[in-house]
Amino acid sequence: MLGSTHGTLTTDFRARVEACGETPRTAVHSSAATAADDAVPMDVSGRPLQADVPDLDRFFRPESVAVVGASDADGRPNAGITRRLIAWAERVGARIHLVHPTRPTVFGRTCYASVGDLPEQVDLAVLLVADPLPVIEELAETKVRFAVAFASGFAETGDEGAAAQERLAAAVRRSGLRLLGPNTNLNAFEEFREDLDGPAIALITQSGHQGRPVHTLQELGIRLSHWAPTGNEADLEASDFISYFAERPEVGSIACYLEGLKDGRSFLLAADRAARNGVPVVAVKVGRTETGARMAASHTGKLTGADTVVDAAMRQFGVIRVDGLDELQDTAALLARARTPQADGVVVYSISGGTGAHFSDLASEAGLHLPTLSQAKQDELHQWIPEYLNVANPVDNGGHPVGDWRGRKIIDAILADPSVGVLICPITGPFPPMSDRLAQDLVDAAERTDKLVCVIWGSPVGTEDAYRTTLLGSSRVATFRTFGNCITAVRAYLGHHRFTARYRSPFEDAPRTPSPSYRKAQALMRPGQQLSEHAAKQLLRAYGIRVPREQLVTSAAAAVRAAGLVGYPVVMKASGPQLGHKTELGLVKIGLTSASQIRDAYRELTDIARYENVPLDGILVCQMVERGVEMVVGVTQDDLFGPTVTVGLGGVLVEVLHDAAVRVPPFGEDQARAMLRELRGHALLEGVRGAPPADVDALVEVVLRIQRMALELGDELSELDINPLMVLPRGQGAVALDALAICR
């Protein structure tokens, strides 16, 4: 039995960092070496640790605006746009200046020949020109702060357009101004209702039309404060707006429609800022079916597709991902307006036993907690509800009282229960006067409680007065049209508040200087090559990850001597820089117990290698480790986020089971443990069918040490795969039995 060498598990990520030992930064990480001279601190990989939040006040509320390419020509698109911009400027109190090289006036207003002729420096320039590139330099000379480019024909059209967009982006970087677009629209200049109060939704879309459902929430009494249509994001991107909106006091939630992310680290920093401020971010991110073009040699790489990483990164930083635009609007609306929950218990209140049972099944399946009400509470409810009806949860009233005060008493009694944080009343169809009185009682009760009251109005018509006036007229009742959207939103609401209550930014503890482990590991790296198993295990040793006792030998006699030192039984494996999965080639022999078996195995392994034309650096004679849970832990490179860490069930079935969880560094011990809880096979670590519980603490420590390796070697390591990592019984550690490493 192997003894424990992993030591006492420390309690936070900073301790993990110190476990590897911090030393002053070497010149190797040149991209991060200038961090001390920069305003934005960098981690050990040279990536920023703080979001660069642009001041967009003068974009959304400019004091002066220039419309470049203004027109009043009949039938021309620019004429309609110019008219709308004039009206928008008047609404926000901005002075507007029109620019056109040949028109002295537009819509009766003075028109200037160029931006340089304007009577004042403007905050925002709206470019209604086919090619915005020549205008950018002129805007820079006049120190315009923001510009919007509507023109299309850029990256969305292919390689040629992408090159044109890069030229535009380069000009913007030189100019010092900030650009929205190109290929954007007028959504930023929509008319927002000023008569609505309460926290607002701020909207970000990469396709303007996809934001329409959220924008129309204003017609249901839900406030909208901003709309950022980011288009092709040559400069300003969705992350900039998330960071900005997260600081706005009027913003209760941020709703996003995203087709792609421009920069992974910028997105994580923006989501981190929102999480620290407690501002929920709800996003539709298209591309769930993308399989990714990268062909991976490691098990880990095959487990991690592009969308898997995006999904994990969003969950890691508290971004609530939904699928449909209807879910986006309902979830963002609820999160913007609902108060902090006092409890996570959900009670279903219904006028129909069938409706209550149906909804409760769906809610429980989705993970909502439906507590059984106490006997005392049930006795109280039976004062007003017949004894033969179930009031344990769901609460079946058999028909909401219409003629007296009992209906309100029932609702108030449910809300008074300390285990209840949310009351949901599904009304599958109008049934006046009962449904009318029920709606009014729910609204009245909601006005007197801090707990969340939700109503599902299932009528397909939606013109009933109880819905249009009573329910939608209340800012305290969250009203839905479908069971599914209500459950999605309530689950997100409770999950968001659980997440933010315990959230600690991982960027605060991210390592900023390389460890001694990094120096040891760098000497082992071979750019552009795959390391042999022996060399890959040396890499693991450098980061304090335990491997079996083993020796690399080049003769049968040496193999016999090595087996005596390692201790029988042993495993023998071919080791070479071009070997990936050795089992398929017959290059692994296990359970060898005698010198004769060692000699025979050595001869067979070397014969197979010669036949397969596989160069070897020797044969590994390894300690045989049994009795544990086989896991896989590894590092892969994501085009968007850089190095990622994956953990899952390992062994020979790793690519069949596909049971893995992924995180983007940096992350702390809490996220490492959360990865394990996400696995379908998590119960194996707890011990099943008489097996002892596995050493989960040791597994978590390996994950954190691999994360440190990913951060320090992220630009030098293409893939790393430990499979299997044998997690021994509790208190005995974890051992990396095999490893594959590919250098960049």
Side-chain angles (χ1 to χ4, degrees):
M1 192 68 67
L2 291 173
S4 174
T5 61
H6 69 276
T8 303
L9 186 72
T10 49
T11 57
D12 57 32
F13 180 54
R14 185 177 296 280
R16 297 284 181 219
V17 170
E18 293 168 353
C20 286
E22 295 266 356
T23 61
R25 182 186 307 277
T26 65
V28 175
H29 286 259
S30 58
S31 60
T34 59
D37 301 324
D38 296 335
V40 178
M42 302 287 182
D43 69 10
V44 69
S45 71
R47 293 174 173 84
L49 292 170
Q50 292 178 8
D52 182 15
V53 185
D55 182 0
L56 295 168
D57 290 350
R58 284 287 178 260
F59 175 85
F60 287 106
R61 289 283 177 172
E63 293 183 355
S64 55
V65 182
V67 181
V68 181
S71 174
D72 55 5
D74 289 341
R76 302 293 296 174
N78 279 11
I81 295 174
T82 302
R83 186 182 289 109
R84 286 187 61 182
L85 290 170
I86 291 172
W88 171 77
E90 291 175 349
R91 286 197 303 272
V92 301
R95 299 179 296 278
I96 191 161
H97 305 290
L98 308 181
V99 179
H100 194 284
T102 62
R103 294 178 182 272
T105 64
V106 169
F107 292 122
R109 296 171 176 264
T110 300
C111 194
Y112 299 90
S114 70
V115 175
D117 295 333
L118 295 178
E120 63 174 331
Q121 179 182 330
V122 297
D123 295 321
L124 173 65
V126 182
L127 311 183
L128 309 184
V129 295
D131 183 5
L133 182 59
V135 184
I136 295 297
E137 294 180 358
E138 186 179 2
L139 295 176
E141 292 175 2
T142 56
K143 301 190 183 307
V144 173
R145 298 177 65 179
F146 297 100
V148 180
F150 291 106
S152 58
F154 289 90
E156 78 278 7
T157 64
D159 292 343
E160 192 172 326
Q165 183 167 309
E166 178 49 40
R167 290 192 294 272
L168 177 64
V172 169
R173 289 192 293 269
R174 292 192 301 269
S175 72
L177 63 79
R178 303 306 306 269
L179 176 74
L180 181 71
N183 194 31
T184 184
N185 52 38
L186 287 167
N187 295 147
F189 312 115
E190 293 281 353
E191 182 173 358
F192 301 112
R193 286 180 57 176
E194 301 289 342
D195 60 327
L196 302 175
D197 56 13
I201 298 174
L203 178 60
I204 302 167
T205 59
Q206 291 175 334
S207 172
H209 188 68
Q210 296 295 85
R212 286 290 163 197
V214 177
H215 182 260
T216 55
L217 283 173
Q218 295 177 105
E219 301 307 311
L220 302 182
I222 297 169
R223 183 182 172 201
L224 209 72
S225 60
H226 304 80
W227 190 347
T230 58
N232 285 12
E233 299 187 353
D235 177 32
L236 287 170
E237 57 183 300
S239 301
D240 293 316
F241 290 99
I242 291 173
S243 295
Y244 172 75
F245 292 147
E247 302 286 348
R248 299 294 304 175
E250 72 273 25
V251 172
S253 69
I254 303 169
C256 308
Y257 173 82
L258 306 172
E259 295 175 349
L261 299 176
K262 181 179 176 182
D263 179 82
R265 177 52 71 96
S266 295
F267 179 77
L268 297 185
L269 289 169
D272 171 69
R273 181 172 294 271
R276 285 187 282 121
N277 290 344
V279 178
V281 180
V282 187
V284 169
K285 168 64 176 69
V286 300
R288 281 196 183 275
T289 59
E290 181 182 355
T291 58
R294 182 180 66 251
M295 290 297 292
S298 69
H299 296 291
T300 309
K302 293 172 183 174
L303 291 173
T304 308
D307 190 68
T308 303
V309 178
V310 171
D311 198 60
M314 286 184 167
R315 189 167 55 252
Q316 184 177 335
F317 285 86
V319 177
I320 299 155
R321 189 174 183 183
V322 296
D323 291 323
L325 298 178
D326 55 334
E327 293 176 316
L328 178 65
Q329 64 180 13
D330 283 350
T331 304
L334 175 62
L335 286 165
R337 303 171 76 182
R339 294 177 170 90
T340 302
Q342 300 177 20
D344 67 355
V346 175
V347 166
V348 179
Y349 177 62
S350 174
I351 62 175
S352 161
T355 301
H358 182 199
F359 184 86
S360 297
D361 276 351
L362 297 174
S364 297
E365 181 69 20
L368 295 182
H369 172 50
L370 274 66
T372 299
L373 297 178
S374 68
Q375 188 59 54
K377 179 60 65 176
Q378 294 183 51
D379 292 342
E380 181 184 2
L381 292 173
H382 276 311
Q383 296 178 73
W384 312 294
I385 297 173
E387 286 287 340
Y388 61 83
L389 293 174
N390 178 30
V391 295
N393 191 15
V395 176
D396 176 10
N397 61 27
H400 189 76
V402 174
D404 55 37
W405 40 264
R406 288 175 299 154
R408 176 66 187 279
K409 284 283 190 180
I410 295 169
I411 296 170
D412 287 343
I414 295 171
L415 290 171
D417 191 303
S419 70
V420 176
V422 182
L423 184 149
I424 302 176
C425 182
I427 304 173
T428 55
F431 190 60
M434 186 187 302
S435 54
D436 295 349
R437 180 61 182 267
L438 174 57
Q440 188 62 58
D441 284 346
L442 288 164
V443 167
D444 292 342
E447 297 293 339
R448 297 177 61 87
T449 182
D450 286 336
K451 296 184 178 182
L452 176 61
V453 176
C454 300
V455 177
I456 304 159
W457 190 262
S459 167
V461 180
T463 58
E464 299 85 0
D465 189 61
Y467 171 66
R468 299 294 302 181
T469 303
T470 306
L471 294 174
L472 295 184
S474 170
S475 62
R476 295 290 302 123
V477 172
T479 304
F480 302 88
R481 300 304 303 277
T482 67
F483 283 14
N485 279 16
C486 177
I487 291 169
T488 295
V490 171
R491 182 176 56 192
Y493 159 71
L494 295 171
H496 165 74
H497 287 283
R498 282 194 300 269
F499 178 84
T500 55
R502 65 177 186 267
Y503 184 74
R504 174 181 171 85
S505 172
F507 296 110
E508 295 179 4
D509 295 329
R512 303 190 184 195
T513 56
S515 66
S517 297
Y518 169 70
R519 290 189 178 86
K520 295 176 186 176
Q522 196 180 34
L524 300 168
M525 302 300 285
R526 300 291 182 266
Q529 297 180 27
Q530 177 178 310
L531 301 182
S532 69
E533 178 183 340
H534 183 60
K537 285 179 174 175
Q538 288 180 306
L539 191 64
L540 298 182
R541 279 198 186 100
Y543 278 90
I545 296 169
R546 188 176 169 195
V547 300
R549 295 190 301 272
E550 63 182 37
Q551 288 193 21
L552 183 69
V553 300
T554 56
S555 70
V560 172
R561 289 192 297 271
L565 293 172
V566 168
Y568 289 102
V570 298
V571 176
M572 291 179 66
K573 297 188 278 187
S575 177
Q578 296 180 20
L579 275 174
H581 308 309
K582 297 175 283 294
T583 304
E584 291 88 337
L585 296 176
L587 292 174
V588 178
K589 302 295 180 183
I590 65 173
L592 306 177
T593 59
S594 68
S596 61
Q597 288 181 339
I598 297 294
R599 284 189 287 270
D600 290 344
Y602 185 92
R603 183 172 57 254
E604 185 175 349
L605 291 173
T606 53
D607 285 348
I608 292 173
R610 278 193 295 271
Y611 178 79
E612 297 288 347
N613 196 28
V614 176
L616 300 181
D617 57 9
I619 301 295
L620 282 173
V621 181
C622 310
Q623 173 191 16
M624 188 166 175
V625 181
E626 300 180 272
R627 196 171 177 236
V629 179
E630 293 186 338
M631 302 293 292
V632 59
V633 180
V635 177
T636 56
Q637 290 290 334
D638 182 79
D639 292 339
L640 187 64
F641 294 101
T644 65
V645 176
T646 300
V647 62
L649 292 184
V652 295
L653 296 178
V654 59
E655 292 175 27
V656 176
L657 297 175
H658 283 275
D659 190 9
V662 62
R663 290 295 186 273
V664 178
F667 57 85
E669 183 179 322
D670 59 336
Q671 286 292 331
R673 293 186 183 277
M675 292 171 78
L676 303 183
R677 290 192 296 271
E678 288 175 16
L679 300 177
R680 297 189 301 276
H682 177 257
L684 292 173
L685 295 169
E686 298 173 342
V688 295
R689 298 182 67 85
D695 197 337
V696 172
D697 288 351
L699 173 56
V700 169
E701 185 165 346
V702 170
V703 171
L704 292 173
R705 289 180 180 273
I706 288 296
Q707 177 194 206
R708 183 63 186 250
M709 182 190 296
L711 285 167
E712 294 189 342
L713 297 175
D715 294 331
E716 303 169 60
L717 186 65
S718 178
E719 295 181 37
L720 173 75
D721 195 61
I722 305 174
N723 184 43
L725 175 75
M726 187 69 80
V727 185
L728 303 174
R730 184 177 295 162
Q732 297 181 32
V735 187
L737 301 187
D738 200 351
L740 180 149
I742 303 175
C743 305
R744 300 186 78 175

